[in-house]
């Protein structure tokens, strides 16, 4: 155990630190998503304010995960940058 000389806080340096503030976001299959993961759309999605439809199977790369309704900030192949809901994507194995 290590002890801080100023506040007397004790900790074990070999203990794994778990970030309690980290976002835990899962895809529709329950797989944990992380920044940089490749995902595919699991259903056709209409783009709000446009006549564009994102087709099932469209691939995307997660840029960052955010807290909120649309929790994935990603770059879609052929669709540009968009925010998606994690319930409409599945993690890609490739």
């Amino acid at each position: 155990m290590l002890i801080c000389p100023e506040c007397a806080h004790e900790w074990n340096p070999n203990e794994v630190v778990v970030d309690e503030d980290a976002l835990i976001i899962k895809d529709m299959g329950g797989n944990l998503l992380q920044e940089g993961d490749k995902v595919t759309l699991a259903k056709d999605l209409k783009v709000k304010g446009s006549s564009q439809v994102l087709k099932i199977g469209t691939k995307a790369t997660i840029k960052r995960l955010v807290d909120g309704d649309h929790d994935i900030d990603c770059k879609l192949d052929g669709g540009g940058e968009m925010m998606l809901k994690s319930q409409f994507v599945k993690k890609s194995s490739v």
Side-chain angles (χ1 to χ4, degrees), residues 59-80:
K59 297 180 183 186
T61 304
I62 298 175
K63 289 176 42 180
R64 66 186 179 117
L65 300 172
V66 295
D67 193 18
D69 187 29
H70 291 75
D71 47 10
I72 300 174
D73 186 10
C74 63
K75 181 168 181 5
L76 289 159
D77 292 348

Side-chain angles (χ1 to χ4, degrees), residues 18 33 36 38 77 79 91:
V18 176
L33 296 174
K38 309 275 187 199
D77 292 348
K91 194 171 186 176

Side-chain angles (χ1 to χ4, degrees), residues 34-51:
Q34 298 177 350
E35 294 176 5
D37 283 347
K38 309 275 187 199
V39 295
T40 58
L41 294 180
K43 67 180 267 182
D44 290 346
L45 299 174
K46 294 180 182 177
V47 178
K48 194 172 191 176
S50 171
S51 62

Side-chain angles (χ1 to χ4, degrees), residues 28 40-46 54-57 87-89:
M28 67 181 293
T40 58
L41 294 180
K43 67 180 267 182
D44 290 346
L45 299 174
K46 294 180 182 177
L54 301 173
K55 296 290 184 181
I56 188 170
Q87 65 192 19
F88 299 126
V89 300

Side-chain angles (χ1 to χ4, degrees), residues 9-25:
H9 175 75
E10 298 178 2
W11 72 94
N12 183 352
N14 298 326
E15 186 175 297
V16 177
V17 178
V18 176
D19 186 9
E20 296 173 0
D21 295 333
L23 288 174
I24 298 174
I25 297 178

